[in-house]
Amino acid sequence: MKRQNQSSVVEFILLGFSDFPELQEEIFGVFLVIYLVTLMGNATIIGAILLEQTLHIPMYLFLQNLSVVEVSFSAAIMPEMLVVLSFERTTISFAGCFAQMYFILLFGGTECFLLGAMAYDRFAAICCPLTYPMIMNKRVFVKLVMFSWVSGIMVATLQTTWVFSFPFCGPNEINHLFCETPPVLELVCADTSLFEIYAFTGTILIILLPFLLILLSYLRILFAILKMPSTTGRQKAFSTCASHITSVTLLYGTASVTYLQPKSSYSPATKKLISLAYALLIPLLNPLIYSLRNKEMKRALVKLCQRVVVLHTVVLVQKLYDICSLLKRTTFEFCKC
């Protein structure tokens, strides 16, 4: 193990699934497919909303921001995870581990606040339809988005800096797939009780409190939906909110289990499975949930596909025209000779 001043670890070893070397190749293939689908799905949503003017309203702009967060979150975790799965033991530098933890917390915290803002948006749209344009105007939307990103940055900066201010003078093997707070904290050779109190309090404020507010919002939405005279209106409102509830339950449930007790008694295998739930499933499911349950998104995705097909057709026709022109010119010169 490398040391600096005989006390500071300058690199870590990510063990991944080294206990099951015979399965790593299959796991690598599955994770790679999930990563590529996640990137394509979220990138498609970002592009569809960007190009479709009718979707430039808060509901879909929040979704666009959420897709940006999901792409960034996956990019912070998956490449390193795939490298870990390619070898039995993979080293990551102290600075690299710091950066990965920072971005995981940044995008994870931002997503928590964004989901809360999206719940507020749906509450205002369904419960206050007449005053919705005034409640959720452009200025309010920008403030909510900025608050989500700034809060994520603050959480990541405080927690990552605090974790890596502890001395690492013992083992440097992280029994995990990536540099997440709980497994890294287990390697600290100092008293972390104060940090654990902060982590517990922070989890309540960042995860559980927004989750409770979201639940209250949806209770109000549920009562508003039940009062609707139209069956079609109730079905549309339920469909709109069901996707958000699914994402909220997945994210807040797994994140709470992980961060409420950083030094929990769960086995390393259980911790890995819980982490994979929000590192893999949530970024993968969000684009599927929101696009497949929403008619406007389906329409925008169809238009995007049509634009891509038309663009490729134009490029293909241009290439064929260039080839024909070249053949014609070559034939003319040959006949002239």
Side-chain angles (χ1 to χ4, degrees):
M1 178 179 67
K2 297 181 181 179
R3 298 174 185 268
Q4 186 178 14
N5 296 330
Q6 298 183 347
S7 63
S8 296
V9 172
V10 295
E11 70 175 18
F12 295 99
I13 297 173
L14 291 167
L15 298 181
F17 289 112
S18 56
D19 294 337
F20 308 99
E22 68 281 358
L23 297 176
Q24 290 206 161
E25 188 175 339
E26 289 77 8
I27 296 173
F28 175 88
V30 173
F31 284 11
L32 179 60
V33 171
I34 291 175
Y35 181 46
L36 294 176
V37 173
T38 298
L39 291 182
M40 288 188 292
N42 283 287
T44 302
I45 286 182
I46 294 169
I49 296 173
L50 186 66
L51 295 172
E52 185 58 48
Q53 292 292 326
T54 58
L55 298 184
H56 290 183
I57 57 176
M59 175 182 174
Y60 297 104
L61 293 176
F62 277 126
L63 176 56
Q64 187 180 46
N65 273 271
L66 184 62
S67 291
V68 170
V69 169
E70 299 294 16
V71 169
S72 305
F73 187 77
S74 295
I77 293 177
M78 290 304 298
E80 184 66 32
M81 189 187 295
L82 293 173
V83 171
V84 172
L85 291 170
S86 301
F87 306 96
E88 289 187 15
R89 291 156 63 98
T90 303
T91 60
I92 182 171
S93 66
F94 190 89
C97 192
F98 178 97
Q100 188 177 51
M101 183 186 293
Y102 180 87
F103 287 116
I104 289 171
L105 291 170
L106 190 161
F107 298 123
T110 301
E111 183 171 2
C112 288
F113 291 112
L114 265 179
L115 288 171
M118 292 172 74
Y120 175 70
D121 174 65
R122 290 299 83 211
F123 162 75
I126 294 173
C127 298
C128 312
L130 298 179
T131 56
Y132 174 72
M134 291 181 289
I135 295 174
M136 188 56 67
N137 55 44
K138 185 178 180 180
R139 182 180 297 178
V140 173
F141 165 77
V142 171
K143 285 182 178 179
L144 288 173
V145 171
M146 290 297 295
F147 173 78
S148 300
W149 282 98
V150 171
S151 299
I153 292 171
M154 290 174 62
V155 169
T157 302
L158 177 61
Q159 184 159 323
T160 309
T161 304
W162 196 346
V163 169
F164 282 89
S165 68
F166 288 118
F168 293 89
C169 53
N172 66 339
E173 292 185 343
I174 300 175
N175 193 4
H176 206 59
L177 291 155
F178 47 90
C179 285
E180 195 174 25
T181 303
V184 172
L185 202 64
E186 291 177 359
L187 304 181
V188 170
C189 50
D191 182 18
T192 60
S193 56
L194 185 61
F195 177 83
E196 291 182 57
I197 294 172
Y198 150 78
F200 183 82
T201 307
T203 301
I204 291 175
L205 294 175
I206 298 165
I207 298 177
L208 294 184
L209 186 59
F211 182 61
L212 291 175
L213 292 174
I214 290 171
L215 287 181
L216 290 175
S217 296
Y218 277 107
L219 282 175
R220 292 287 303 275
I221 290 171
L222 178 62
F223 290 135
I225 290 173
L226 293 175
K227 292 178 182 178
M228 290 182 178
S230 169
T231 304
T232 306
R234 287 199 297 269
Q235 290 176 346
K236 185 177 180 180
F238 272 123
S239 177
T240 302
C241 298
S243 56
H244 193 191
I245 294 173
T246 305
S247 295
V248 164
T249 305
L250 281 171
L251 175 65
Y252 286 90
T254 52
S256 297
V257 171
T258 301
Y259 287 97
L260 267 177
Q261 291 181 298
K263 285 191 173 181
S264 61
S265 58
Y266 295 115
S267 67
T270 302
K271 292 177 182 178
K272 291 174 190 177
L273 290 175
I274 294 171
S275 296
L276 288 176
Y278 64 80
L280 290 178
L281 293 182
I282 294 173
L284 173 69
L285 292 177
N286 266 341
L288 298 175
I289 291 170
Y290 281 100
S291 59
L292 295 179
R293 297 184 63 88
N294 191 289
K295 292 181 180 178
E296 288 78 9
M297 273 304 306
K298 288 180 184 178
R299 196 176 299 117
L301 292 174
V302 169
K303 286 185 179 180
L304 180 63
C305 291
Q306 290 173 343
R307 289 183 182 183
V308 171
V309 170
V310 169
L311 180 61
H312 281 287
T313 303
V314 170
V315 172
L316 181 61
V317 169
Q318 183 63 44
K319 287 183 178 179
L320 289 173
Y321 177 78
D322 292 341
I323 292 171
C324 290
S325 299
L326 179 62
L327 289 173
K328 183 178 178 181
R329 203 163 47 246
T330 306
T331 305
F332 176 76
E333 290 176 0
F334 177 77
C335 293
K336 188 176 180 181
C337 295

